[in-house]
Amino acid sequence: MAIYYPPNQIKPNLFANSGEFVFSSNNLPFSGSYHQLSNGRYYTEALHTNTSQEIIQITSPTTTSDLAVINSGTLPKVVEINSITPNNNAYSRLTNQNTLPKELPVNLQNLPTLQNYQIGEFTRYFAKKINQDLYIEFTQDLYDRLISQDPSIYYEQYIAFKLPWRLIGDKQQVARTNKNIVDLTSQQFNLSRFGRYLKDNYLKYYK
């Protein structure tokens, strides 16, 4: 049985590229979804379950001999960087990885402005994680970065989309319009349980 950790002790839905982590049990490379506990330890899977395995973060080796250590399966728990020079990039070339850290998209508050209420609607921006019914809502700036495939963010893991949202008018008509828009967007982007994510609240921000 998995040990229970409260949500405030887990940083979920992280993603590791090849070369960033190894399994603590056998030093084999790990890539994919993982989470971090408040004690600083890392485990496989987006959330903690009874199948989660501990993984260990490594730093980028700076020489081909360091890379040979990884491939031999005798990797120490931490490979330290002794120096960084233009010639010490064999590992980056072989793994074809960008050594700069990448961001995960996160929820960001996006509220309608006074001008939006004068117009009667505003645009809401969302993303769905590929192969998971995991949604986030954020600002236009983050949406533009995902759509433009900004290399500093994990755009390849998400489907970004936007939709117009009615703010004023007859209450029943506003709710009906927003629901129709959600239904059409869900069909267009194959969004499973998107309405449930919105808690079927089609009058959010209504005045």
Side-chain angles (χ1 to χ4, degrees):
M1 180 179 295
I3 299 174
Y4 172 74
Y5 292 96
N8 62 357
Q9 293 186 21
I10 300 175
K11 186 175 183 180
N13 299 312
L14 304 176
F15 187 86
N17 285 312
S18 176
E20 295 179 344
F21 285 87
V22 295
F23 288 96
S24 65
S25 59
N26 53 22
N27 285 333
L28 292 177
F30 167 80
S31 63
S33 297
Y34 73 99
H35 61 277
Q36 182 181 13
L37 301 182
S38 58
N39 60 12
R41 300 173 76 170
Y42 302 95
Y43 289 85
T44 60
E45 303 183 56
L47 296 172
H48 202 78
T49 71
N50 59 358
T51 59
S52 297
Q53 299 182 57
E54 186 175 7
I55 53 176
I56 297 172
Q57 188 175 30
I58 62 173
T59 56
S60 300
T62 58
T63 66
T64 53
S65 61
D66 287 333
L67 184 59
V69 171
I70 289 180
N71 291 333
S72 69
T74 58
L75 180 70
K77 289 196 174 183
V78 176
V79 179
E80 295 185 0
I81 297 178
N82 296 319
S83 62
I84 299 295
T85 71
N87 294 325
N88 285 335
N89 59 3
Y91 179 81
S92 295
R93 292 200 307 271
L94 289 171
T95 58
N96 194 28
Q97 297 294 328
N98 188 341
T99 57
L100 295 176
K102 297 177 72 171
E103 299 175 42
L104 277 170
V106 295
N107 284 294
L108 295 172
Q109 192 173 52
N110 180 37
L111 298 175
T113 65
L114 178 60
Q115 184 178 13
N116 292 140
Y117 280 104
Q118 291 172 344
I119 296 172
E121 70 175 42
F122 86 123
T123 303
R124 297 179 69 177
Y125 302 92
F126 301 89
K128 176 188 179 294
K129 195 165 186 180
I130 294 175
N131 298 327
Q132 284 185 258
D133 292 334
L134 177 65
Y135 294 93
I136 50 177
E137 184 174 9
F138 39 71
T139 60
Q140 181 179 356
D141 177 66
L142 184 52
Y143 171 83
D144 290 341
R145 291 174 64 194
L146 288 170
I147 290 297
S148 64
Q149 299 186 352
D150 185 335
S152 68
I153 195 167
Y154 284 113
Y155 66 84
E156 64 273 18
Q157 297 182 29
Y158 290 85
I159 300 170
F161 58 97
K162 62 182 179 179
L163 51 84
W165 195 258
R166 293 296 301 170
L167 298 169
I168 61 174
D170 178 77
K171 192 172 185 178
Q172 291 185 344
Q173 183 61 43
V174 168
R176 187 179 304 112
T177 299
N178 288 338
K179 184 181 186 305
N180 289 340
I181 291 172
V182 168
D183 290 343
L184 289 172
T185 304
S186 296
Q187 294 177 15
Q188 179 182 357
F189 293 95
N190 194 24
L191 305 175
S192 174
R193 301 180 181 177
F194 181 48
R196 182 179 299 181
Y197 164 76
L198 297 174
K199 298 180 180 179
D200 293 320
N201 183 4
Y202 302 112
L203 290 173
K204 189 169 185 177
Y205 307 122
Y206 173 78
K207 286 188 178 180

